[in-house]
Amino acid sequence: MRWTTAKVRQSFLDFFAARGHTIVPSASLIPKGDPSLLFTNAGMVQFKDYFLGVRTPQHLRVADCQKCLRISGKHNDLEAVGRDTYHHTFFEMLGNWSFGDYYKEEAIRWHWELITKVWEIDPKLLYATVYKDDDEAEQIWKKLGVLLNPVLRFDKDNFWQMGDTGPCGPCSEIHIDRGAAACDGRPHPGTKCGVNVDGCERFIELANLVFIQYNRDAAGALMPLAKKHVDTGTGLERTAAALQSIETGKILGNYDIDLFQTIIRKIEEAAQKFGDKARYGKQEESDVSFRAIADHARTMTFLIADGVIPGNSDREYVLRRIIRRAARHGRYLGIHRAFLAMAHAGVVEAMGDAYPEIRAAAIKTAEVITQEESRFGETLDRGLELIDTELARIKHSGGHTVPGEVAFKLYDTYGFPLDLTEDVLRNHSIDVDVAGFNRLMDEQKERGRAARKDDVGAPEISLGAGTASRFIGYHRYEGESEVLAAGGKDGEHVAIVVAETPFYPEGGGQVGDRGVIETTSGAILEVSDTRKADGSIVHVGRILRGEAGDFARGARVKLKIDRLRRDAAMLNHSATHILHYALRDILGDSVHQAGSLVDPDKLRFDFAHTGPVKDDALATIEEEINARIRENAEVTIDEMAYDDAIKAGALAFFGDKYGDRVRVVRMGDFSVELCGGTHISRTGDVGMFKLEAESGVAAGVRRIEAVTGQGALETIRKREKILEEIGAQLGARDGAAVERLEKLLAREKELEKKLRAMEQKLAAGGGAGGAEAEEVVREVGGVKVVTRRLDGVDPRTMREMADRMRQKHGSCVVALGSDLGECKVALLVAVTADLTAKIKAGDIIKNIAPIVGGTGGGRPDLAQAGGRDASKLDEALSKVAALLQ
């Protein structure tokens, strides 16, 4: 094959490099310093600040191949993925840019040359489009005299914008006519095949030449930019499909190109090994799943390599949804075990040369995918069973809609996102009561809000246009200023904004400052929290002396922060930077910050890492941190250009908007990070670092909690005191106390072993003294039912007894009950494997547990319950046979 996907990618870059463009690497899927976007959804995202004039480009002409993700917001192709041959969530965008250099004529002429001369596509197959009012672009096309087909004008299809706000402008597109066979039978009823016709796969866009000349503000208004720019995008997958179609003489969709076929072959291997032995191209229904899994495998591979892990917020939840959707499609191929790591391996094989980062992260990525897939697999089948039950009910009743309550239960109990439920039901032409689902979601959120107790409720405050505060507290603890805005009443929390303040507002994980604000008339506000709001710093607190009116706009005030509290928080903040360095140094560069909390008492640091950190590694991390503290390295803080900071190796964390100038915190020669927080002047000021705990908070995210300085010293003293008290109780000290404790624990273990042996012997001999100590065996509908009461026997022993009874009786249902005393009852139901298809232990236990005043559940083969009413134990056991009748 001449035009492999890799060769198409490289030919584009070579073409524009020869025309003065600097080739730059793809940016991360996580936009740097741009909270308005969840993901990089177009090639121009990394250059957005150049268009806005916020940063100055180093090169006026640039080209690249950008990895993109469109799965949320305005550009959301998720529902169409797999159902046709050209929609994707993840895709590659070939792009060339001009930042105030060349404009429309060069962009149009060069792309025509690339498509017709380099890629040798017949001009007879090509159509050009322009924005409805763009006479200039149309005249350029006509002046070039290269088109054999008329220029077409469109409205919204030829005006491009990255999001609801930001750079935008009219565009000119180049489409290819792939022939009538490409659209044969495709769904666009009532409309003839044509350019920009929804659902038509005959005419496919090859290139989009965007002429960036506006910025759309939050109100939707278009404001002209100071300079005009070019932003072009050429979809790699569809271009490869067009070229490979011409070469082979077949109509190929995106999923038929060599890149996707490599991934699909891995999915076929999984289907052959674990599933229904499906092959791609044999059946349309399974082809949809092959395509969806192949697409989703690329998305999860690149997101995890870029540092995202499955979770419940924003980007993390998107990744979780993708993995779960792919796992569900695996069920359609008969695969009922974790398999997506095999699809991920196909992505690495197909794209690892172009994107080395996915090859470097391959092992970690496979682990994260398998963990999330396995976790969801535990509930996926039960959720699909619920959907099947609901579908049967709806079809029997002649309905067409699944109630919102069912969709909410699927989400809340089984982890099914609404779009996944809708996707499953779409195959059956069944809708979801989305309004009902949203109502239940709102009710749940309202309950959550009511449950949260916010002890510092900020009153509403009206900030006039242009109101802004300046933080002066990096080196000052006191200051004087003028009140710019105020809100709140006497007896309630009051909020005020001043022109200049030493109070640090909560941000970057560091808590807001506390302290006092005093007017010239003597009124005092005790500040309990400091926050950011619309470019201002808001001080929230209660009035200790005076009235709310004393803090009205224009009042002069003195501000004084709680210095001891700030200094303690500052130690912990600087310690998080040293901790981050140590984690990356010892665990690897794949570690990166996933969240933090810095307050005066402790620090909490969340970081991306697969699996628990081993004890010896934790000890090494703690030693390294304290070594850097003893080094007493200088902490310097500089302001510099953002690009210079990144080149200098500074670690940037996303969520805050970075401007052209950034604050860089450098500690010795080991740590460089962008940070707006407050810091010590030397690492030795931290004093001591004591690691308190390491735990998991989500799949692929670990958390370290620690204390520093005086807090670390107090922690050690408390533990010494506890050890002294333990030694006194044991009558020994230090090593002798440990030896004494080990002997006591060994003795306890020996006694427990003897007790369990006695319980088992008692249970086997039927001498428990219960009302029904012997086995009762019944035949119910051809099924053997064995019940037995074993009073005083714990649940663990009951499970062992049930296993022995199933072995003894063969095919059977076993029900055991035990009065544990102190108003505690235990029930257990076990079903042999040959019967679980029609008899579920969990269903039986849910019916008999209420008789003894309890609840329970479990798997189809084993279920347990607890209760309070021992007097009804025999009745509960007797009901098992009745249930099977």
Side-chain angles (χ1 to χ4, degrees):
M1 181 182 292
R2 179 189 174 197
W3 286 114
T4 63
T5 309
K7 187 170 181 181
V8 176
R9 185 191 294 116
Q10 192 59 49
S11 67
F12 178 92
L13 299 176
D14 291 344
F15 180 88
F16 282 100
R19 285 153 184 78
H21 291 68
T22 299
I23 308 302
V24 298
S26 170
S28 168
L29 285 175
I30 314 305
K32 289 184 178 181
D34 189 349
S36 68
L37 284 176
L38 270 185
F39 301 107
T40 299
N41 62 4
M44 61 87 70
V45 170
Q46 65 170 309
F47 308 119
K48 178 180 175 181
D49 286 349
Y50 297 162
F51 297 142
L52 295 174
V54 177
R55 288 194 284 140
T56 302
Q58 294 180 309
H59 309 284
L60 297 181
R61 297 182 181 185
V62 166
D64 74 351
C65 184
Q66 174 66 50
K67 50 193 181 186
C68 301
L69 191 60
R70 293 186 181 177
I71 200 169
S72 59
K74 176 177 178 287
H75 301 290
N76 186 353
D77 296 331
L78 182 59
E79 290 186 5
V81 170
R83 298 184 180 278
D84 57 36
T85 62
Y86 60 91
H87 274 102
H88 306 288
T89 53
F90 176 95
F91 61 96
E92 295 179 79
M93 183 63 74
L94 301 165
N96 60 284
W97 287 269
S98 163
F99 306 120
D101 187 16
Y102 63 84
Y103 200 45
K104 294 182 181 181
E105 183 170 351
E106 293 89 339
I108 292 172
R109 174 162 46 84
W110 284 339
H111 260 79
W112 184 261
E113 182 182 350
L114 171 68
I115 292 172
T116 61
K117 302 300 183 185
V118 177
W119 293 338
E120 299 178 341
I121 296 178
D122 190 342
K124 290 187 297 185
L125 304 177
L126 301 173
Y127 288 81
T129 69
V130 297
Y131 185 57
K132 63 177 183 178
D133 297 329
D134 196 347
D135 297 331
E136 180 187 3
E138 182 176 15
Q139 288 305 313
I140 290 171
W141 277 112
K142 291 181 177 179
K143 184 176 72 173
L144 289 175
V146 294
L147 288 175
L148 300 181
N149 295 304
V151 177
L152 306 175
R153 291 186 180 233
F154 291 92
D155 187 358
K156 61 180 181 179
D157 288 309
N158 277 81
F159 192 94
W160 198 93
Q161 55 191 61
M162 185 176 64
D164 294 332
T165 62
C168 55
C171 61
S172 179
E173 298 173 338
I174 302 174
H175 294 251
I176 183 172
D177 179 359
R178 302 197 303 153
C183 204
D184 186 27
R186 295 297 174 182
H188 48 89
T191 307
K192 293 182 179 180
C193 282
V195 173
N196 284 332
V197 171
D198 266 354
C200 177
E201 295 190 27
R202 173 174 174 175
F203 294 87
I204 296 294
E205 172 199 319
L206 286 182
N208 186 5
L209 319 178
V210 183
F211 310 121
I212 301 290
Q213 59 192 73
Y214 302 111
N215 180 44
R216 190 182 295 276
D217 64 20
L222 294 176
M223 307 299 293
L225 294 170
K227 294 182 179 180
K228 294 179 179 180
H229 314 280
V230 170
D231 159 28
T232 75
T234 298
L236 175 61
E237 294 85 357
R238 57 180 56 188
T239 301
L243 292 173
Q244 291 176 24
S245 294
I246 293 171
E247 277 191 336
T248 62
K250 300 177 182 178
I251 301 298
L252 302 180
N254 291 5
Y255 292 92
D256 298 317
I257 64 176
D258 59 309
L259 184 153
F260 270 110
Q261 286 302 300
T262 300
I263 304 169
I264 288 173
R265 280 197 297 271
K266 291 292 185 181
I267 304 169
E268 285 181 326
E269 286 181 24
Q272 296 296 308
K273 189 174 181 180
F274 308 120
D276 291 342
K277 304 188 184 303
R279 294 284 188 185
Y280 184 65
K282 301 297 183 182
Q283 188 178 2
E284 178 57 25
E285 185 175 345
S286 59
D287 284 356
V288 170
S289 293
F290 274 115
R291 291 192 289 264
I293 295 168
D295 170 88
H296 292 359
R298 294 208 301 174
T299 297
M300 61 183 79
T301 294
F302 279 87
L303 277 179
I304 295 170
D306 277 353
V308 181
I309 46 85
N312 289 324
S313 62
D314 297 335
R315 300 180 179 105
E316 291 78 11
Y317 186 62
V318 168
L319 174 57
R320 171 162 286 170
R321 285 169 58 197
I322 284 293
I323 294 175
R324 293 184 174 188
R325 287 175 67 94
R328 191 265 301 179
H329 277 288
R331 294 302 193 269
Y332 288 170
L333 300 179
I335 305 173
H336 288 266
R337 54 156 289 170
F339 77 99
L340 292 175
M342 295 178 67
H344 151 69
V347 177
V348 176
E349 180 182 338
M351 306 179 70
D353 291 341
Y355 299 96
E357 66 268 25
I358 67 171
R359 197 182 295 282
I363 295 176
K364 172 195 169 186
T365 302
E367 290 174 351
V368 172
I369 290 171
T370 301
Q371 281 182 3
E372 179 65 23
E373 184 183 8
S374 299
R375 184 179 290 110
F376 182 50
E378 296 170 2
T379 59
L380 174 57
D381 289 328
R382 292 200 292 272
L384 291 174
E385 284 179 11
L386 175 60
I387 290 178
D388 288 342
T389 300
E390 190 62 26
L391 280 171
R393 185 194 65 78
I394 290 173
K395 289 178 180 177
H396 183 265
S397 65
H400 298 90
T401 304
V402 166
E405 291 81 359
V406 175
F408 181 76
K409 182 178 181 180
L410 284 164
Y411 165 80
D412 199 42
T413 305
Y414 300 108
F416 276 50
L418 178 62
D419 64 275
L420 194 155
T421 300
E422 291 177 313
D423 199 43
V424 174
L425 295 171
R426 192 175 289 112
N427 293 332
H428 302 273
S429 300
I430 299 294
D431 296 323
V432 177
D433 175 15
V434 177
F437 173 86
N438 290 335
R439 174 178 52 79
L440 292 169
M441 283 291 292
D442 291 340
E443 289 175 2
Q444 186 184 66
K445 291 175 183 176
E446 188 59 40
R447 287 193 297 271
R449 283 191 290 268
R452 290 192 295 268
K453 296 186 181 297
D454 184 3
D455 60 346
V456 185
E460 290 188 8
I461 184 170
S462 177
L463 300 175
T467 302
S469 307
R470 188 167 75 92
F471 177 64
I472 59 172
Y474 283 124
H475 304 291
R476 295 171 59 181
Y477 295 89
E478 300 181 14
E480 293 189 16
S481 191
E482 178 182 343
V483 175
L484 300 179
K489 302 176 182 178
D490 291 338
E492 299 176 356
H493 282 110
V494 172
I496 71 168
V497 173
V498 299
E500 294 182 340
T501 178
F503 282 75
Y504 180 82
E506 180 179 353
Q510 182 173 333
V511 296
D513 278 335
R514 295 178 181 176
V516 294
I517 300 178
E518 184 176 1
T519 67
T520 53
S521 63
I524 296 177
L525 172 69
E526 182 182 42
V527 178
S528 54
D529 195 13
T530 311
R531 307 171 182 176
K532 296 177 184 175
D534 299 326
S536 297
I537 298 173
V538 181
H539 310 75
V540 182
R542 293 189 181 276
I543 294 175
L544 298 182
R545 188 167 64 205
E547 300 176 350
D550 295 326
F551 296 90
R553 178 181 175 88
R556 295 293 300 177
V557 293
K558 293 181 180 179
L559 305 100
K560 184 177 182 180
I561 69 171
D562 183 336
R563 180 168 184 166
L564 293 178
R565 185 175 182 275
R566 157 76 79 82
D567 287 347
M570 198 158 60
L571 292 184
N572 284 329
H573 198 158
S574 296
T576 62
H577 284 229
I578 307 175
L579 169 60
H580 194 193
Y581 146 75
L583 288 169
R584 290 170 62 87
D585 183 56
I586 293 162
L587 300 182
D589 289 343
S590 62
V591 168
H592 64 269
Q593 182 176 338
S596 67
L597 172 66
V598 179
D599 67 24
D601 300 320
K602 63 184 180 302
L603 68 89
R604 188 179 74 205
F605 190 83
D606 297 344
F607 59 99
H609 184 65
T610 303
V613 182
K614 295 180 179 179
D615 290 342
D616 58 346
L618 289 173
T620 304
I621 290 166
E622 188 176 69
E623 288 173 5
E624 176 65 16
I625 293 170
N626 281 299
R628 293 298 182 177
I629 291 171
R630 291 192 300 273
E631 182 183 315
N632 200 29
E634 184 180 9
V635 178
T636 60
I637 299 174
D638 298 302
E639 280 196 6
M640 63 178 69
Y642 175 85
D643 289 341
D644 292 340
I646 298 302
K647 284 182 181 177
L651 297 177
F653 303 107
F654 315 125
D656 290 334
K657 173 68 176 176
Y658 293 119
D660 199 30
R661 304 288 296 175
V662 292
R663 199 164 177 268
V664 180
V665 178
R666 184 185 299 274
M667 297 184 178
D669 60 358
F670 57 88
S671 172
V672 186
E673 296 187 12
L674 302 187
C675 183
T678 63
H679 289 278
I680 54 182
S681 58
R682 305 195 76 89
T683 60
D685 295 345
V686 175
M688 181 190 302
F689 178 95
K690 183 62 185 151
L691 199 154
E692 288 284 271
E694 190 274 346
S695 60
V697 293
V701 178
R702 308 299 297 178
R703 170 173 292 172
I704 279 181
E705 297 173 76
V707 287
T708 65
Q710 186 65 27
L713 184 59
E714 290 175 359
T715 296
I716 293 172
R717 284 174 175 167
K718 286 178 183 178
R719 288 183 181 168
E720 286 179 342
K721 182 65 175 175
I722 292 170
L723 290 174
E724 287 176 4
E725 293 175 357
I726 291 173
Q729 292 290 329
L730 295 171
R733 297 187 61 185
D734 301 332
V738 175
E739 184 179 344
R740 179 71 59 85
L741 182 59
E742 287 175 346
K743 289 181 179 179
L744 286 174
L745 292 174
R747 175 63 176 161
E748 181 185 15
K749 190 174 182 179
E750 181 183 349
L751 291 173
E752 284 183 352
K753 186 177 180 181
K754 289 181 178 179
L755 179 60
R756 287 188 52 73
M758 291 176 63
E759 285 180 341
Q760 291 175 359
K761 183 177 180 181
L762 185 66
E772 193 177 344
E774 298 297 332
E775 288 182 357
V776 176
V777 183
R778 299 182 179 90
E779 186 97 6
V780 181
V783 176
K784 188 183 294 183
V785 181
V786 185
T787 60
R788 187 171 185 183
R789 178 165 174 167
L790 301 164
D791 290 351
V793 177
D794 63 26
R796 179 178 173 181
T797 305
M798 291 170 69
R799 288 194 295 272
E800 294 171 356
M801 285 292 298
D803 288 340
R804 288 200 294 270
M805 292 168 75
R806 280 188 289 188
Q807 292 173 3
K808 173 183 174 183
H809 293 283
S811 178
C812 66
V813 174
V814 174
L816 303 177
S818 177
D819 179 359
L820 301 174
E822 298 181 354
C823 297
K824 292 182 181 179
V825 175
L827 286 170
L828 181 145
V829 175
V831 180
T832 52
D834 62 307
L835 298 176
T836 54
K838 59 180 179 178
I839 302 173
K840 312 288 187 190
D843 294 342
I844 296 174
I845 208 77
K846 289 175 183 176
N847 278 278
I848 66 175
I851 297 174
V852 295
T855 58
R859 307 188 306 268
D861 63 326
L862 183 69
Q864 294 178 260
R868 300 182 302 276
D869 190 354
S871 67
K872 300 288 184 66
L873 190 55
D874 294 335
E875 180 184 342
L877 292 172
S878 299
K879 188 174 181 181
V880 175
L883 287 171
L884 297 184
Q885 289 174 340

